[in-house]
Amino acid sequence: MNAKRWIAIAAAAVVLVISVLFNSAYTLFQSNLGSGIDEYMALEESDISENVIEEGSGNSRIAVLEVEGTIQDTGDASSLLGSTGYNHDFFMKQLEQVREDDTVKAVVLNVDTPGGGTLESSQIHDEIVEIQEEAGKPVYVSMGSMAASGGYYISAPAEKIFVSPETLTGSIGVIMQGVNYSELAERIGIDFETIKSGPYKDIMSANRDMTEEERALMQEIVDQSYNAFVDVVMEGRDLSEEEVRAVADGRILNGRQAVEADLADEFGLEEDAISQLREDYDLANAQVFEYGAPGTGLGSLLSMKVNSFLGNDMETKLVAELLSNYNSPRLMYLYGEE
């Protein structure tokens, strides 16, 4: 290992220690101040701004929402290593706002994501269905360079899906991954002592091999989530189970293949989806707007400082990410790796 890598690991370790100390101090600070800081944070997060994209009637509006990055709830934004990309809590607030705002008549959802957590994807899907069925508001999807796995899961209910010929989509399936470093630990003389309440309490542990029985148990869980995915596509796209399963083997599709398989409707970009929505639902004079980013709190500012410190050294960033991520395996509607 060269000097640069040692420096990267050392820098990442320092950042991790600072992050832990900050989060501990923040928790103590929050508990001491009580409701005062809670009210401040609630006010900051609930203050959703709006940016007008196309002028029009304020009583008849089209909301443009965006899902970009891995769909996962990263928790408290105060983490120094927190991502500045997709914000699940903020996006769910946008969906709620769209559902409750009577001036919003329709939605265009821009999707550019490899997917993400099964829970987060299902939460978005269910909220979109509520917007359509309970609020009676149509949702059109415009797919970007990638709308795979969970990205397709949240797109499936849309009345129409627009793709580029080069869009990567599909990847209908579920994945759960873990790391097994037991052989490495044995080589360097590390022993793990585990006391557990049942034989499966440490299933998918990183310090031992899985048994065949354990694999069967986990496979059953994955299969259940996969079947739920198939049902979502069947219902959203009005396809038979046979038609869906023919392309639901995890394969990635480009936009042309997606249209041929009836997983998408038309070729086009965001402006094409908006134009078609205006025409289909008599919204020629509708104002088009998007929601602004949430307020920047203390945690976000510190996160920006840390990212600035790390600079463009991708190796350092990757090590920092590995150190800050949880090791617990998760069910994911995800194309590729996290």
Side-chain angles (χ1 to χ4, degrees):
M1 186 176 295
N2 59 35
K4 183 179 178 182
R5 291 187 177 179
W6 280 116
I7 293 172
I9 293 173
V14 169
V15 170
L16 178 63
V17 171
I18 293 174
S19 178
V20 171
L21 290 175
F22 172 77
N23 286 330
S24 299
Y26 177 80
T27 301
L28 179 61
F29 177 67
Q30 188 179 42
S31 63
N32 287 340
L33 287 185
S35 61
I37 193 170
D38 288 337
E39 291 175 0
Y40 170 78
M41 295 300 290
L43 177 62
E44 183 184 53
E45 292 180 359
S46 64
D47 187 17
I48 302 178
S49 62
E50 295 181 0
N51 304 317
V52 175
I53 300 174
E54 297 179 18
E55 295 292 346
S57 172
N59 294 320
S60 179
R61 307 196 297 160
I62 298 172
V64 176
L65 308 183
E66 183 171 298
V67 174
E68 182 177 4
T70 305
I71 303 170
Q72 58 183 343
D73 189 348
T74 56
D76 195 336
S78 65
S79 172
L80 287 178
L81 298 175
S83 171
T84 57
Y86 175 76
N87 184 324
H88 186 64
D89 184 60
F90 179 60
F91 186 70
M92 294 304 294
K93 284 182 170 65
Q94 292 180 62
L95 291 175
E96 181 181 1
Q97 186 83 359
V98 162
R99 176 166 47 83
E100 296 180 352
D101 189 338
D102 292 335
T103 68
V104 176
K105 305 302 181 183
V107 179
V108 170
L109 179 63
N110 288 325
V111 181
D112 195 350
T113 173
T118 56
L119 174 61
E120 294 90 339
S121 299
S122 65
Q123 287 175 333
I124 295 172
H125 168 274
D126 293 348
E127 185 66 31
I128 288 174
V129 171
E130 282 192 27
I131 289 171
Q132 294 170 303
E133 296 182 354
E134 295 184 11
K137 303 176 182 182
V139 176
Y140 280 21
V141 163
S142 171
M143 291 184 171
S145 60
M146 177 176 289
S149 204
Y152 191 80
Y153 189 101
I154 67 174
S155 302
E159 276 78 7
K160 284 187 179 179
I161 296 177
F162 289 75
V163 294
S164 164
E166 307 306 327
T167 296
L168 293 181
T169 187
S171 188
I172 298 171
V174 191
I175 189 169
M176 175 183 277
Q177 291 180 318
V179 177
N180 182 353
Y181 47 73
S182 58
E183 185 175 341
L184 174 62
E186 184 178 351
R187 287 182 180 179
I188 60 179
I190 297 177
D191 292 325
F192 295 95
E193 301 292 343
T194 303
I195 301 173
K196 53 187 179 180
S197 58
Y200 306 120
K201 183 59 181 172
D202 64 340
I203 196 168
M204 289 195 76
S205 170
N207 54 46
R208 69 174 179 82
D209 293 331
M210 291 182 66
T211 67
E212 289 303 314
E213 187 175 3
E214 288 172 334
R215 287 186 181 276
L217 289 173
M218 300 310 294
Q219 186 65 53
E220 183 178 358
I221 293 173
V222 169
D223 290 345
Q224 289 176 350
S225 293
Y226 168 72
N227 290 333
F229 200 155
V230 170
D231 289 342
V232 161
V233 179
M234 288 171 55
E235 183 175 355
R237 299 299 300 171
D238 193 25
L239 296 172
S240 68
E241 182 174 353
E242 182 180 3
E243 289 173 316
V244 174
R245 290 189 183 273
V247 292
D249 53 6
R251 73 181 67 181
I252 200 76
L253 306 172
N254 64 27
R256 300 178 186 86
Q257 294 170 324
V259 171
E260 291 174 2
D262 288 330
L263 295 181
D265 299 291
E266 300 181 25
F267 297 117
L269 305 175
E270 175 188 320
E271 53 266 33
D272 300 302
I274 293 173
S275 177
Q276 191 64 57
L277 192 53
R278 288 184 184 278
E279 181 179 338
D280 293 345
Y281 291 91
D282 193 23
L283 294 170
N285 297 320
Q287 180 191 86
V288 181
F289 76 98
E290 62 183 358
Y291 293 111
T296 303
L298 177 61
S300 298
L301 290 173
L302 289 173
S303 178
M304 291 170 61
K305 289 295 183 183
V306 169
N307 287 329
S308 176
F309 165 74
L310 293 177
N312 294 320
D313 189 338
M314 291 304 298
E315 187 175 69
T316 305
K317 289 182 178 181
L318 287 172
V319 173
E321 185 176 349
L322 286 172
L323 288 172
S324 63
N325 281 345
Y326 293 107
N327 291 323
S328 301
R330 291 178 292 170
L331 283 170
M332 304 291 283
Y333 293 138
L334 182 68
Y335 171 64
E337 298 183 3
E338 287 186 88

